[in-house]
Amino acid sequence: MSAQSDRIVPKSCFDCVQSIESVYTGGCVAISQDEQRIFTTCNEDIAVLDMASGQKLADLKGDTELITTFAVKPDGSHLVSASRSMQLVVWDLRTFKIERTFKARDSHILAMDIDATSTLVATGLADGTVNVWDIDRGYCTHNFKGHGAMITSVRFHPSTENLCLVSASGDGDIRVWDLKQRKCTSVLKSHVSAVRAIDFDESSEIMVTAGRDSVINVWNWTRKSLIRTIPVYESIEAAGVLRIDAAAVFNSQKGRVVYSGGEKGIVRLWDLDSGEELFTQAKDRNAKHTFVDVMYLPQSGNLCAVTNDQNLLFYSVTAQLKRVRQIVGYNEEIIDLAYIGNEHKHLAVATNTEQLRIYNTDNLNCELAYGHKDIILTLDVHSSGAIVATGSKDNTVCIWAINMKAPVNHRVTCVAVAVGHTKAVGAVAMAQGSDALFM
């Protein structure tokens, strides 16, 4: 064999075997009732993710207009979406294809809910109109008018015998619509700003509403009267009632606990009967995010919080609201990255955020590490694979201990902060010898 044929030719082209893509760019998020799939807004499309692995299963391709809202049938067979094109689209979730499309009046749809029978979808419009549609036949069954501002939330009453719909608007008014009588039966006035959340307890006799006026209101459904107002002193974007078995963990008198999330970026729990605050979640160090939505997952006993920086954070209700998982929706600009460990199963990534992100390359799950106050500009990994140094625009260097076999919340720990630079730290390097721990 000639020397020329033995020569190693460098490869200049590589095939991509796996990629970390954007799966959430802001907007609506929904989770199927069986908690097997996550649906997220990704630009003009809807991404379908597997709950267990976080991997993308499919893209529901939009009509080039931004998605405004969507909802999933309780039976998990279909998803109904709305975009700025003012079209309602029904997607078959078995084939991930469009089943039907119909025109949704002359205003943008901002809120949506599907009834317990998976038959009707309610839509709240920017002009204050509330419509109810037959999903399978594709026609409007009810057209309700009466709100004086845009609709911010709609919710069907859980009882299939009680065909009622609750809608709320930006001026704080809440209206109860009887679908059989085709009219508004009650107007509930207490909120003074946009109502962002409507929920019912397990008996369906207590309704909870919350909004940007920093209060949670508890209502008697039968009398349509206000029982109590709980001041929370923060603008609320999401609230709901925990199931009794989960609520018992927090020593509630009657096992009825309300969760809330909003501008503070933490989950707080309240006793529904006394109005007392039962638990306040500790915020991650230097975390700046706020919550735009919080969803209760009763089967797993978790709360899924959606942040304004496009992350999905999962907290265990039975474990004092400790974070058990996170899904990064959008990485923006990748500034630096490096493999961790000798097996190359984890990847440390610095983006133009203040968080250090550690990806598992097998399933693309991600650990978020909070510590810096500004964007991370550089990172380096020690030869042991267990230590990472990051430099930031906040003029500091953080040293992180990495142990991916440790319990969640203890896998990435900031063990030291180097202070002294007077400008942003743009480069950092660690000694590569096993016994040389300096940088």
Side-chain angles (χ1 to χ4, degrees), residues 15-228:
D15 294 328
C16 178
V17 295
Q18 195 172 24
S19 62
I20 299 173
E21 302 175 350
S22 297
V23 295
Y24 175 57
T25 56
C28 186
V29 175
I31 297 177
S32 60
Q33 196 169 68
D34 61 5
E35 301 179 16
Q36 298 298 311
R37 292 176 176 177
I38 307 173
F39 303 87
T40 61
T41 305
C42 192
N43 299 315
E44 297 86 17
D45 306 327
I46 299 173
V48 184
L49 311 179
D50 180 73
M51 174 67 84
S53 66
Q55 294 185 340
K56 185 185 291 188
L57 301 176
D59 277 317
L60 306 182
K61 295 294 183 180
D63 53 10
T64 71
E65 294 287 345
L66 291 177
I67 300 292
T68 55
T69 187
F70 54 81
V72 183
K73 278 187 175 184
D75 62 15
S77 62
H78 294 82
L79 178 145
V80 183
S81 67
S83 70
R84 288 188 179 178
S85 64
M86 292 178 285
Q87 295 280 339
L88 273 175
V89 180
V90 181
W91 300 85
D92 188 330
L93 294 181
R94 289 161 294 194
T95 62
F96 302 117
K97 295 182 179 179
I98 295 176
E99 189 165 294
R100 66 180 56 85
T101 302
F102 41 94
K103 180 70 174 177
R105 303 296 179 181
D106 298 319
S107 186
H108 294 143
I109 296 174
L110 303 178
M112 186 181 295
D113 189 41
I114 297 178
D115 77 324
T117 65
S118 298
T119 304
L120 303 174
V121 58
T123 57
L125 278 65
D127 63 1
T129 303
V130 178
N131 293 323
V132 181
W133 303 80
D134 186 301
I135 300 174
D136 296 328
R137 294 182 175 87
Y139 66 88
C140 183
T141 61
H142 300 77
N143 181 29
F144 297 126
K145 295 184 177 181
H147 283 288
M150 65 180 183
I151 305 301
T152 55
S153 185
V154 292
R155 185 70 182 267
F156 281 102
H157 189 273
S159 173
T160 55
E161 299 177 358
N162 191 353
L163 290 178
C164 288
L165 174 69
V166 182
S167 61
S169 56
D171 57 5
D173 283 358
I174 299 171
R175 289 178 175 265
V176 180
W177 310 91
D178 190 307
L179 271 63
K180 292 181 179 179
Q181 300 182 38
R182 295 178 174 271
K183 67 178 184 179
C184 176
T185 56
S186 299
V187 180
L188 310 180
K189 291 182 176 289
S190 179
H191 288 284
V192 295
S193 187
V195 177
R196 295 289 295 145
I198 304 170
D199 199 14
F200 295 87
D201 74 340
E202 289 188 83
S203 69
S204 301
E205 292 300 317
I206 298 295
M207 182 175 70
V208 173
T209 60
R212 292 174 180 165
D213 54 0
S214 304
V215 298
I216 298 173
N217 284 333
V218 183
W219 306 84
N220 182 290
W221 174 256
T222 303
R223 299 195 302 267
K224 306 296 189 296
S225 60
L226 182 65
I227 299 175
R228 70 179 46 82

Side-chain angles (χ1 to χ4, degrees), residues 393-410:
K393 287 182 69 176
D394 62 8
N395 306 346
T396 66
V397 175
C398 286
I399 308 299
W400 308 85
I402 311 294
N403 182 7
M404 302 310 295
K405 296 181 180 179
V408 178
N409 285 338
H410 298 284

Side-chain angles (χ1 to χ4, degrees), residues 13 76 114 136 153 181 190 194 224 228 247 257 259 263 278 293 425 432-433:
C13 297
I114 297 178
D136 296 328
S153 185
Q181 300 182 38
S190 179
K224 306 296 189 296
R228 70 179 46 82
V257 173
Y259 67 86
E263 64 178 353
L278 298 175
D293 197 6
V425 180
Q432 296 303 309

